[in-house]
Amino acid sequence: MPFRHRLLLLSAELAAGTAMAVATVVDLAPYRLPGHLAFTCVGGVSASAVWLTSYVLNTVVTTTHRCTAPDCTYTIRVRGTTSAESRRWQEIAADHPGHHLSR
C-alpha cells in the first residue's frame, strides 16, 4: 500500500481516537474524577476507538481469498493489488499445497 494511503488510514484512526478522548473528557468533567482515573477511562476509550477504526478501515481495503474446498479454512488477505495480481492470489488460495495433503 502506498505511503499516502497508509498516512490517510493513520490520520483517520488518530482522529477517531482523539474525538472519543475529547468526548470522554467532556462527559467525565462534571464528576471531578482524580486524574489517574480520568486518564484510565480516556485512554481505554480512545484506544478502543483507534483499534475499531483501524479494523474497519483495513477490512474495507483488504481483499480475502479463500480455498474453495468445503472444509478448508485456508485464506489469503491482500491489499493494494491489481486485478490480475488479485486473480493470481485467488488461484493460489484455491490450489494451495496443504489442500493436496488433506485429500
Side-chain angles (χ1 to χ4, degrees):
M1 179 183 301
F3 178 74
R4 193 174 110 196
H5 288 127
R6 284 185 293 185
L7 190 59
L8 286 172
L9 292 176
L10 180 62
S11 298
E13 294 164 12
L14 292 177
T18 302
M20 289 304 297
V22 169
T24 304
V25 166
V26 169
D27 286 344
L28 293 177
Y31 300 105
R32 298 186 189 275
L33 291 176
H36 68 283
L37 290 177
F39 178 77
T40 303
C41 292
V42 170
V45 168
S46 63
S48 296
V50 168
W51 177 85
L52 181 62
T53 305
S54 173
Y55 180 79
V56 168
L57 291 175
N58 281 321
T59 302
V60 169
V61 298
T62 302
T63 302
T64 302
H65 300 293
R66 293 179 173 82
C67 180
T68 54
D71 293 334
C72 189
T73 59
Y74 185 81
T75 59
I76 296 175
R77 290 180 178 86
V78 294
R79 63 178 166 188
T81 59
T82 63
S83 59
E85 188 176 2
S86 184
R87 176 68 182 158
R88 188 176 128 260
W89 282 111
Q90 184 179 21
E91 291 169 358
I92 290 170
D95 194 34
H96 61 93
H99 180 71
H100 297 295
L101 297 175
S102 62
R103 288 184 190 175

